Amino acid sequence: MNDPIRIEEVDAVASPPRARVEDAKETVGETFERKRDYLSGFLAQKPVAASSAEPGGALYEAVLDALKEIYDPEIPVNIYDLGLIYGVEVTEDGHAAITMTLTTPHCPVAESMPGEVEMRVSAVPGIAFTDVNLVWDPPWDPAKMSDEARLELGML
């Protein structure tokens, strides 16, 4: 366990051999052709189109835009950026299910806000039916707010 450290002094260390172009096993043309074959398959692929009801789809994004137009009456921030929307599900046949909460169960708009969400989302072209689920678990807290909302309220 108590082995002494040995120090060896040397005058010089041999340099490792340098790579030479002549030593290469493939020519530049062969390497380029191989890369071209690889890229041709990759470039031939077409992007998968997102369903309009999935995140990134037109109908889903239109529902989010409608939610971003609804503002909390006491706070000058929309309910989406405020973090009151917990989930958005949209089906191809036009059914939207919104899961949301409020800042507190005693919020003055507790009775009217879910109705306004239902009305605004139902007005989106392509939405036939809207179901709004008001939940209290998990409870809302300021950590659920977007950075834009925090900036608007001076919390950043």
Side-chain angles (χ1 to χ4, degrees), residues 9-153:
E9 290 187 30
V10 294
D11 293 331
V13 176
S15 298
R18 292 185 174 202
R20 299 203 174 283
V21 175
E22 303 89 45
D23 297 339
K25 295 178 182 175
E26 296 177 332
T27 66
V28 174
E30 291 171 345
T31 304
F32 179 72
E33 286 301 317
R34 184 181 58 203
K35 286 183 181 177
R36 177 173 284 195
D37 291 343
Y38 171 76
L39 288 176
S40 65
F42 176 75
L43 295 174
Q45 292 179 349
K46 300 292 182 205
V48 178
S51 167
S52 67
E54 294 177 5
L59 187 58
Y60 184 88
E61 294 299 322
V63 169
L64 291 187
D65 289 342
L67 292 171
K68 289 178 182 179
E69 292 177 359
I70 305 170
Y71 285 79
D72 186 294
E74 298 174 335
I75 305 170
V77 176
N78 69 65
I79 64 172
Y80 188 82
D81 288 335
L82 199 54
L84 298 179
I85 303 300
Y86 285 174
V88 175
E89 295 178 27
V90 180
T91 63
E92 286 292 334
D93 59 348
H95 179 251
I98 311 295
T99 304
M100 67 174 292
T101 192
L102 297 172
T103 54
T104 176
H106 304 293
C107 183
V109 294
E111 291 183 21
S112 63
M113 184 65 73
E116 183 175 356
V117 169
E118 181 179 356
M119 182 182 69
R120 294 277 186 105
V121 172
S122 294
V124 172
I127 297 296
F129 179 75
T130 304
D131 186 26
V132 178
N133 301 312
L134 186 61
V135 297
W136 302 109
D137 189 37
W140 178 86
D141 64 57
K144 293 181 177 14
M145 294 187 335
S146 70
D147 288 341
E148 291 82 10
R150 288 189 185 130
L151 184 63
E152 180 71 28
L153 297 175

